[in-house]
């Protein structure tokens, strides 16, 4: 109750926004009130001139006229002052706020003074107290103070006026006048309170809206994690920056920055530490590229638009600072660079290109920076082409599995094949998986290609079986994304097997080691189902990644495909042999068969056989070939099909 009353009287604390809003409203009202006053006072000048001189034919006396009109003059001047201040008032400037308050208080004071004086004399002359009423209405409406201040001001004023009149008139004021004066005081006070409360409510609503807007603007423009700008802001800001007529687009350069191996930092120190790391990187970027535009796009990807002049030094400084942040995990700072060709170059397009250039440095220890030039542009266009034409190429039959023989190390007989996708395109010619698999993975459409390859393999097997030819098991390369993007990768394989009536032991599922380290849950579940349904699981590219040993600990595979990297330096480096020997026995100890990929010489084959590697695959036995070539080579005895697969 008391609280409500205090609130009604305006004792609560107002925010800066609300106080300013109320003062703004006061200033706006001041414009109307001052204009009315100026008009009325001008009229009074004319009126007196007419009434006291023209109408009765008295010659004009300047000094007397000044004397007669000096009160109007004072009001006119204060009105003018207030109008000027109110018109030029700027809420952000403290001096204008002070001037605003000062001039309106001065105006109210003078108006009230004249109201009191004029009405006092009028009342004694038996006239109405209109001037006082009008002036107090003026002051109250114009300056909506806090209600309790309005209350004190109006009460004091009315009491004073009432008291003076009561003393001055014989027998005191008339009762009717007393009632009128009281009613007027009461209504004016209520009006002042209610206007104030209304204004405050509107101001509070406006403040909430403004806060919500500001928050939305922040979310729209800033990256939540690091606090620097986000890509959306970056693209908009870059666009308007480049369109500045004063600016030469050749002075600017786009950078796409990727932190390589950041995933391992996250794995090792946890997400919290990873987030702190990214925030610190963002801070470094903003400090180093202080005159440019900096944003975080997503994950560990950052965007920069900076001056060509000095960019090299900035890049070096940024790389040094990031490298020096910690020594535990080797974080690579990879950069793609794109120079805008004209002012109209869309920043999204520019960043796409810088990003593509950056992707060419992926997993390359010798290359951290790549500039988007004509050569890179060719690759970029091919990439666009691949993404845009995948479905058409599948429909037209441009994408086919090629088969690479897998043989038993003991006797060289054919014990299987690996299906490897080939895209023979009318525009680009022969495309190898390196040209399209990573792109299709990036664009998350790899499952379309895999579904097409798997079906073609089943069709080829079915035809060979129908023709009564010997067949060998085929291993299929599953992308880790198949388990995410296909509705149900396992079921899809089951459907194909059923449709083409393929024995399940004729298909092996290859999953690369890196897939397993990245997407544990989905893949683990799919692998269990595949095994339950009778498919052999082959671990592809063992030893090419960081988490090889963990993979062995957590999952059971039938065959370990030893990465061809182990054969590098086979002739020159004696350690290569002992390492291979070790990996083969590791597989054996883990209850797995072994297969070495990339066998290119008889020496390699012989060595692998001698250390007990079961299967071999590589150019020494044959490159990937079309189904007809394979069929012919089996038919002409180039490959002898093993009795056991
Ligand atoms: P991968 O599964 O490890 O396949 C082996 C790669 O090594 C093939 O390259 C093969 O041509 C190559 N290779 C085999 N023997 C030798 C050799 O003696 N020397 C050398 N230097 N290379 C040899 P390819 O066909 O270019 O495939 C590259 C990768 O693309 C494959 O690696 C696989 O991860 C992926 N891939 C290929 N086809 C498909 C597919 O249909 N689906 C999916 N998801 N991935 C595929
Ligand atoms: Mg493979
Ligand atoms: Mg492999």
């Amino acid at each position: 109750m008391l609280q409500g009353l205090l609130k009604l009287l305006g004792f609560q604390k107002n925010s800066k926004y609300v106080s300013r809003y109320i003062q703004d409203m006061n200033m706006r009202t001041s414009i109307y009130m001052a204009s009315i006053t100026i008009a009325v006072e001008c009229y009074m000048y004319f009126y007196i001139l007419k009434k006291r001189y023209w109408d009765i034919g008295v010659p004009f006396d300047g000094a007397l006229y000044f004397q007669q009109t000096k009160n109007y003059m004072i009001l006119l001047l204060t009105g003018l002052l207030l109008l000027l201040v109110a018109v030029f008032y700027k809420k952000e400037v403290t001096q204008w706020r002070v001037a605003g308050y000062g001039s309106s208080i001065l105006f109210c004071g003078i108006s009230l003074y004249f109201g009191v004086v004029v009405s006092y004399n009028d009342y004694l002359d038996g006239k109405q107290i209109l001037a006082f009423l009008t002036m107090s209405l003026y002051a109250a409406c114009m300056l909506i103070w806090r209600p309790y201040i309005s209350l004190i001001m109006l009460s004091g004023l009315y009491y004073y006026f009432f008291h003076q009149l009561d003393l001055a008139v014989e027998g005191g004021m008339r009762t009717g006048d007393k009632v009128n004066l009281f009613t007027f005081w009461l209504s004016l006070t209520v009006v002042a309170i209610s206007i104030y409360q209304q204004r405050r409510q509107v101001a509070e609503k406006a403040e909430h809206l403004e806060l919500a807007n500001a928050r939305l603007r922040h979310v729209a423009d800033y990256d939540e994690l690091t606090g620097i700008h986000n890509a959306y802001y970056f693209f908009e800001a870059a666009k308007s920056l480049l369109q500045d007529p004063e600016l030469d687009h050749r002075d600017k350069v786009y950078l796409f920055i990727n932190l390589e191996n950041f995933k391992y930092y996250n794995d090792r120190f946890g997400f919290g530490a990873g987030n702190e790391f990214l925030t610190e990187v963002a801070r470094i970027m903003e400090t180093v590229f202080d005159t440019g535009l900096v944003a975080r796009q997503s994950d560990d990807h950052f965007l920069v638009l900076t001056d060509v002049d000095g960019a090299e030094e900035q890049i070096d400084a940024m790389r040094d600072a990031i490298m020096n942040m910690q020594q535990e995990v080797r974080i690579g700072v990879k950069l793609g660079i794109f120079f805008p060709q004209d002012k109209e170059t869309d920043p999204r397009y520019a960043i796409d290109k810088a990003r593509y250039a950056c992707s060419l440095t992926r997993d390359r220890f010798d290359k951290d920076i790549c500039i988007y030039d004509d050569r890179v542009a060719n690759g970029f266009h091919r990439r666009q082409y691949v993404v845009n034409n995948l479905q058409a190429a599948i429909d037209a039959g441009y994408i086919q599995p090629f088969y690479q023989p897998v043989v038993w190390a003991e006797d060289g007989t054919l014990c299987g094949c690996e299906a490897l996708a080939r895209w023979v395109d009318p525009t680009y010619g022969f495309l190898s998986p390196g040209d399209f698999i990573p792109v299709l993975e990036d664009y998350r459409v790899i499952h379309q290609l895999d579904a097409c390859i798997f079906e073609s393999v089943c069709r080829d097997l079915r035809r060979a079986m129908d023709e009564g030819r010997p067949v060998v098991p085929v291993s299929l390369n599953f992308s880790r994304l198949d388990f995410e993007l296909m509705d149900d990768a396992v079921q899809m394989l089951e459907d194909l097997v059923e449709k083409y009536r393929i024995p399940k032991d004729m298909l092996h599922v290859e999953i690369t080691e890196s897939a397993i380290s990245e997407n544990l849950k989905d893949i683990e579940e799919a692998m269990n189902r595949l095994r339950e349904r009778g498919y052999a699981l082959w671990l592809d590219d063992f030893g090419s990644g960081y988490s090889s040993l963990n993979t062995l600990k957590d999952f059971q595979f039938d065959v370990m495909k030893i990465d061809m990297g182990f054969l590098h330096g086979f002739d020159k480096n004696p350690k290569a042999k002992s390492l291979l020997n070790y990996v083969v026995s590791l597989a054996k100890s883990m209850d797995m068969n072994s297969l070495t990929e990339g066998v290119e010489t008889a020496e390699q084959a012989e060595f692998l056989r001698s250390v007990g590697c079961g299967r071999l695959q590589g150019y020494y036995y044959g490159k990937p070939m079309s189904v007809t070539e394979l069929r012919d080579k089996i038919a002409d005895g180039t490959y002898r099909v093993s009795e056991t697969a």
Side-chain angles (χ1 to χ4, degrees), residues 433-446:
D435 295 324
F436 55 85
I437 302 263
V439 187
L440 298 178
E441 287 190 331
D442 275 358
Y443 282 83
R444 299 173 70 83
V445 287
I446 182 70

Side-chain angles (χ1 to χ4, degrees), residues 235-283:
F235 293 137
E236 296 298 311
K239 198 171 184 173
S240 52
L241 181 78
L242 277 170
Q243 273 166 6
D244 179 352
E246 308 266 286
L247 188 131
D248 186 344
H249 65 275
R250 285 167 298 192
D251 293 342
K252 293 282 172 189
V253 58
Y254 284 97
L255 313 179
F256 180 91
I257 300 158
N258 176 32
L259 303 182
E260 207 165 62
N261 283 352
F262 177 67
K263 194 176 112 23
Y264 294 100
Y265 188 90
N266 251 343
D267 285 351
R268 182 147 170 206
F269 300 109
F271 271 114
N275 288 348
E276 274 169 34
F277 188 90
L278 287 178
T279 311
E280 179 58 14
V281 167
R283 201 196 52 73

Side-chain angles (χ1 to χ4, degrees), residues 45-157:
Y45 264 96
F46 176 74
Y47 178 78
I48 289 172
L49 195 63
K50 182 170 175 294
K51 192 111 192 264
R52 307 241 170 122
Y53 298 96
W54 289 352
D55 287 357
I56 48 179
V58 175
F60 181 70
D61 177 349
L64 185 64
Y65 183 66
F66 177 75
Q67 187 65 31
Q68 288 162 336
T69 56
K70 75 171 186 306
N71 288 351
Y72 301 124
M73 169 75 82
I74 292 171
L75 255 181
L76 181 67
L77 287 179
T78 42
L80 274 172
L81 173 72
L82 178 62
L83 184 67
L84 275 176
V85 172
V87 167
F88 292 105
Y89 167 80
K90 284 191 189 66
K91 62 177 155 196
E92 301 81 19
V93 184
T94 318
Q95 284 89 329
W96 277 109
R97 287 208 307 277
V98 173
Y101 269 121
S103 55
S104 39
I105 291 172
L106 180 72
F107 180 80
C108 290
I110 288 176
S111 308
L112 290 172
Y113 171 76
F114 284 129
V116 169
V117 172
V118 173
S119 289
Y120 180 80
N121 292 328
D122 282 352
Y123 191 79
L124 295 187
D125 286 349
K127 293 185 202 154
Q128 293 290 334
I129 53 168
L130 280 178
F132 175 72
L133 298 182
T134 319
M135 290 306 177
S136 57
L137 183 67
Y138 249 52
C141 287
M142 192 177 80
L143 262 190
I144 299 295
W145 310 89
R146 293 264 183 158
Y148 66 90
I149 299 181
S150 302
L151 188 70
I152 294 170
M153 184 198 79
L154 287 170
S155 307
L157 185 73

Side-chain angles (χ1 to χ4, degrees), residues 240-440:
S240 52
L241 181 78
L242 277 170
Q243 273 166 6
D244 179 352
E246 308 266 286
L247 188 131
D248 186 344
H249 65 275
R250 285 167 298 192
D251 293 342
K252 293 282 172 189
V253 58
Y254 284 97
L255 313 179
F256 180 91
I257 300 158
N258 176 32
L259 303 182
E260 207 165 62
N261 283 352
F262 177 67
K263 194 176 112 23
Y264 294 100
Y265 188 90
N266 251 343
D267 285 351
R268 182 147 170 206
F269 300 109
F271 271 114
N275 288 348
E276 274 169 34
F277 188 90
L278 287 178
T279 311
E280 179 58 14
V281 167
R283 201 196 52 73
I284 290 173
M285 301 250 184
E286 283 213 315
T287 316
V288 172
F289 298 104
D290 54 347
T291 52
L293 275 174
V294 176
R296 174 171 170 253
Q297 187 171 42
S298 61
D299 309 317
D300 47 11
H301 301 155
F302 292 85
L303 315 177
V304 173
L305 176 65
T306 189
D307 295 328
V308 171
D309 204 19
E312 234 176 295
E313 292 76 17
Q314 287 177 319
I315 291 172
D316 287 344
M318 181 235 349
R319 288 164 52 87
D320 288 349
I322 296 175
M323 301 288 210
N324 287 334
M325 276 170 64
Q326 51 82 48
Q327 312 300 334
E328 287 91 342
V329 175
R330 213 199 72 87
I331 299 273
V333 182
K334 302 286 188 165
L335 272 105
I337 298 181
F338 179 77
F339 294 95
Q341 290 115 341
D342 53 50
K343 292 178 98 61
E344 301 309 317
T345 305
D346 184 344
R348 285 171 209 274
Y349 188 66
I351 284 298
D352 238 23
K353 294 185 162 179
R355 184 193 180 113
Y356 173 70
C358 184
S359 75
L360 301 181
T361 64
R362 199 188 291 162
D363 295 333
R364 288 193 49 180
F365 293 108
D366 58 328
K367 190 170 169 133
D368 289 329
I369 298 181
C370 176
I371 297 176
Y372 188 94
D373 53 20
D374 288 348
R375 196 183 50 80
V376 176
N378 264 336
F380 181 78
H381 292 130
R382 192 172 56 208
R383 183 182 158 96
Q384 299 297 103
Y385 180 84
V386 160
V387 177
N388 295 336
N389 292 281
L390 172 66
Q391 195 54 52
I394 290 175
D395 296 344
Y398 298 152
I399 297 175
Q400 293 287 335
F402 267 40
Y403 296 91
Q404 187 177 32
V406 177
V407 302
W408 288 120
E410 272 311 321
D411 60 7
T413 54
L414 190 70
C415 62
C417 285
E418 177 173 11
L420 294 158
R422 296 291 180 263
W423 179 332
V424 186
D425 191 84
T427 312
Y428 276 99
F430 188 86
L431 295 171
S432 68
D435 295 324
F436 55 85
I437 302 263
V439 187
L440 298 178

Side-chain angles (χ1 to χ4, degrees), residues 418 420 477 510 512 539-542 544 561-564 595 597-598 617:
E418 177 173 11
L420 294 158
N477 286 288
E510 281 192 23
T512 71
L539 174 60
D540 202 359
D541 303 334
F542 176 80
S544 62
K561 293 190 80 172
I562 300 166
D563 192 68
M564 68 181 82
L595 181 163
E597 301 181 78
Q617 174 185 352

